[in-house]
């Protein structure tokens, strides 16, 4: 057997501008620093800390055992699409109407749905308005799609309002990306705010893409008459993008769905056909049962953890009350006179892993912590962070 020759090609010079344009260095730096920690108090994790409900695990195993392992139809397996339409019918009175109305597609994660949507909408230089702070993938979708992601500053209350959006609109704006509950802030928009955005976007012929990956994790006070505020309650001119990973603790299964205007969803299906082909089959078969599982006990537990966080930082640092998800976006107290990145370095030196706001924003004044962690870990981590904040007073 001959030894493989070491690589001689200058592979870096072969990489596209697109590949070079994606900068993941901010978050990588945090994890590099954390590598030296033996047993860190990890408040950086963006996924729930509960196991997949047993009935869902059983359904995935059964699908594999029953040899349901081949490709599914591109748009998704029949049972799951049926479950999705039942859910959308109950929640929004949205019904499948392929002639001039609505369609749905099962995607490889929420990310898959967002990416396909933007690939279908954007020509070179077309613009999408995104909130700042944002989920890390949003700005990256500029170089990936050729479009331009225009950030809309939402400090200090983190509410993406119609007035703020209006200032960012140009003749090239094609879409606005809403994310409520939001990552990294947990802020939930109210229906009134959303309705104003719907009216603005209708007047300007702009599509709303609503990333509702945390919809189930909306706490009682942020619901309105028990309902989750969404543009879909008011219009069919929006693309809903949702996921199963966070809600049921199966982020690695890569499963989400998108529903909205038929022409757009059909275009997404054509692109999916030649890219992802379909979402993972066993996950789709299991997901058909997911809407039947009651996750409310976990949502209630996350709400209690949210309260623990608010309590820990009251009188020490400003945190906007999250209405959902499992993140707090905490302002580094001004008297410390340091950037969030500097504060995070200190926290890591003290064994607590958090993420600087700069990773999610053009500003570097806050940090994100995740309360998807056991209560005793939270108590310990919050005490250390408080200590650091009080140290120099
Ligand atoms: N949108 C938001 C706001 C997120 O926080 C995440 C994951 N952290 C995603 C989309 C992507 O989710 P998925 O794993 O389903 O692709």
């Amino acid at each position: 057997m001959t030894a493989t020759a070491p690589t001689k090609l200058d592979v870096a010079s072969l990489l596209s501008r697109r590949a070079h344009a994606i900068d993941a260095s901010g978050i990588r730096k945090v994890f590099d620093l954390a590598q030296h920690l033996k047993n860190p108090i990890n408040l950086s994790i963006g996924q729930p800390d509960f196991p997949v409900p047993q009935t869902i695990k059983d359904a995935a195993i059964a699908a594999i055992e029953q040899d349901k392992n081949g490709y599914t139809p591109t748009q998704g397996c029949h049972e799951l699409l049926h479950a999705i339409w039942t859910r959308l019918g109950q929640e929004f009175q949205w019904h499948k109407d392929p002639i001039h109305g609505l369609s749905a597609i099962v995607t490889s994660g929420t990310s898959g749905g967002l990416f396909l949507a933007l690939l279908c909408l954007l020509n070179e230089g077309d613009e999408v308005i995104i909130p700042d702070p944002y989920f890390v993938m949003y700005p990256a979708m500029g170089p990936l799609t050729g479009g331009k992601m225009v950030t809309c500053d939402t400090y200090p209350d983190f509410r993406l309002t119609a007035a703020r959006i209006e200032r960012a609109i140009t003749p090239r704006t094609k879409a606005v990306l809403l994310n409520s509950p939001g990552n990294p802030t947990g802020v939930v928009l109210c229906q009134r705010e959303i309705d104003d955005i719907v009216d603005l976007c209708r007047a300007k012929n702009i599509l709303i893409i609503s990333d509702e990956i945390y919809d189930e994790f909306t706490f009682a006070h942020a619901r309105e008459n028990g309902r989750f505020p969404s543009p879909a309650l008011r219009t069919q001119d929006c693309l809903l993008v949702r996921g199963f990973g966070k809600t049921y603790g199966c982020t690695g299964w890569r499963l989400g769905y998108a529903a909205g205007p038929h022409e757009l969803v059909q275009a997404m299906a054509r692109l999916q056909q030649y890219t992802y082909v379909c979402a993972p089959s066993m996950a789709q078969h299991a997901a058909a049962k997911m809407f039947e599982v009651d996750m409310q006990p976990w949502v209630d537990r996350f709400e209690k953890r949210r309260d623990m966080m608010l309590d820990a930082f009251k009188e020490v640092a400003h945190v906007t009350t999250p209405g959902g998800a499992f993140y707090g976006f905490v302002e580094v107290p001004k008297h410390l006179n340091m950037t969030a990145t500097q504060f995070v370095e200190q926290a890591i030196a003290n064994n607590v892993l958090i993420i600087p706001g700069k990773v999610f924003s053009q500003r570097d004044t806050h940090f994100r912590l995740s309360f998807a962690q056991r209560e005793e870990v939270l108590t310990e981590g919050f005490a250390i962070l408080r200590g650091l904040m009080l140290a120099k007073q």
Side-chain angles (χ1 to χ4, degrees):
M1 206 167 81
T2 53
T4 314
T7 159
K8 289 264 170 28
L9 288 180
D10 176 7
V11 178
S13 73
L14 300 179
L15 294 181
S16 65
R17 272 196 302 281
R18 188 180 305 120
H20 282 294
I22 304 298
D23 177 18
S25 59
I27 204 140
R28 204 178 315 126
K29 202 171 152 211
V30 175
F31 290 119
D32 284 349
L33 283 172
Q35 259 195 348
H36 310 292
L37 301 182
K38 282 230 170 56
N39 196 7
I41 297 169
N42 194 345
L43 307 186
S44 73
I45 301 174
Q47 59 186 340
D49 60 319
F50 49 76
V52 178
Q54 192 58 45
T55 49
I56 306 299
K57 285 184 185 171
D58 292 344
I61 293 164
I64 293 174
E65 298 284 4
Q66 289 161 15
D67 297 319
K68 295 180 177 169
N69 298 307
Y71 298 126
T72 70
T74 294
Q75 258 177 272
C77 79
H78 173 75
E79 303 93 299
L80 178 53
L81 281 169
H82 180 74
I84 288 169
W85 281 115
T86 306
R87 168 66 189 251
L88 293 176
Q90 286 162 352
E91 197 175 348
F92 303 126
Q93 282 76 56
W94 271 28
H95 302 286
K96 183 173 163 186
D97 176 5
I99 309 297
H100 24 55
L102 298 164
S103 256
I105 180 171
V106 178
T107 56
S108 288
T110 313
S111 315
L114 290 169
F115 187 47
L116 288 176
L118 293 191
L119 281 176
C120 289
L121 287 167
L122 303 180
N123 292 316
E124 204 69 32
D126 285 344
E127 296 177 6
V128 179
I129 296 172
I130 60 170
D132 177 346
Y134 38 72
F135 166 47
V136 286
M137 182 192 182
Y138 293 175
M141 284 195 293
L144 288 179
T145 61
K148 186 172 164 204
M149 300 292 132
V150 176
T151 53
C152 182
D153 187 294
T154 63
Y155 289 79
D157 56 7
F158 308 124
R159 309 195 79 81
L160 186 66
T161 58
R164 286 174 170 159
I165 292 170
E166 192 160 19
R167 287 196 287 275
I169 292 175
T170 76
R172 298 298 303 266
T173 309
K174 279 203 165 160
V176 172
L177 192 36
L178 298 188
N179 176 214
S180 171
N183 178 5
T185 65
V187 165
V188 176
L189 297 178
C190 69
Q191 194 61 44
R192 184 69 222 274
E193 288 170 310
I194 292 172
D195 289 350
D196 287 347
I197 297 171
V198 170
D199 292 342
L200 172 69
C201 289
R202 185 177 296 145
K204 304 271 184 184
N205 199 39
I206 292 170
L207 182 78
I208 295 176
I209 301 174
S210 192
D211 177 349
E212 301 184 355
I213 186 167
Y214 300 104
D215 60 337
E216 288 290 323
F217 284 87
T218 303
F219 306 135
H221 76 94
R223 294 185 173 270
E224 292 179 32
N225 303 320
R227 306 186 81 163
F228 166 71
S230 167
L233 284 171
R234 168 81 176 234
T235 182
Q236 297 192 348
D237 284 328
C238 72
L239 185 75
L240 286 186
V241 185
R242 289 182 161 188
F244 296 96
K246 308 273 179 180
T247 312
Y248 302 99
C250 54
T251 48
W253 286 8
R254 311 306 308 131
L255 202 65
Y257 66 95
H262 183 67
E263 299 91 321
L264 173 57
V265 174
Q266 289 316 303
M268 290 167 67
R270 290 196 295 277
L271 259 64
Q272 173 138 288
Q273 176 94 53
Y274 289 120
T275 51
Y276 300 103
V277 180
C278 65
S281 58
M282 82 296 288
Q284 289 195 53
H285 290 293
K289 305 245 177 328
M290 286 185 189
F291 294 117
E292 294 161 23
V293 180
D294 180 14
M295 299 307 288
Q296 195 56 41
W298 272 103
V299 179
D300 294 342
R301 187 157 170 192
F302 277 75
E303 188 169 356
K304 290 209 180 81
R305 291 172 174 181
R306 189 273 315 264
D307 292 340
M308 277 177 69
M309 174 191 72
L310 293 175
D311 206 43
F313 292 107
K314 75 169 185 279
E315 290 156 26
V316 182
H318 185 260
V319 196
T320 301
T321 303
F326 32 75
Y327 308 112
F329 205 51
V330 185
E331 187 172 20
V332 175
K334 292 204 173 56
H335 72 84
L336 291 181
N337 233 339
M338 60 171 74
T339 63
T341 301
Q342 289 166 329
F343 182 80
V344 169
E345 281 166 9
Q346 277 201 0
I348 292 175
N350 285 273
N351 213 31
V352 182
L353 203 49
I354 48 177
I355 304 188
K358 206 172 80 172
V359 168
F360 313 97
S361 175
Q362 298 185 348
R363 301 201 198 188
D364 194 22
T365 50
H366 292 60
F367 62 85
R368 188 191 81 173
L369 65 78
S370 159
F371 47 86
Q373 257 296 9
R374 279 179 293 118
E375 286 72 6
E376 46 298 5
V377 178
L378 293 179
T379 305
E380 210 183 332
F382 294 163
I384 294 173
L385 294 173
R386 264 176 66 94
L388 290 174
M389 290 169 171
L390 293 168
K392 286 198 183 166
Q393 242 169 5

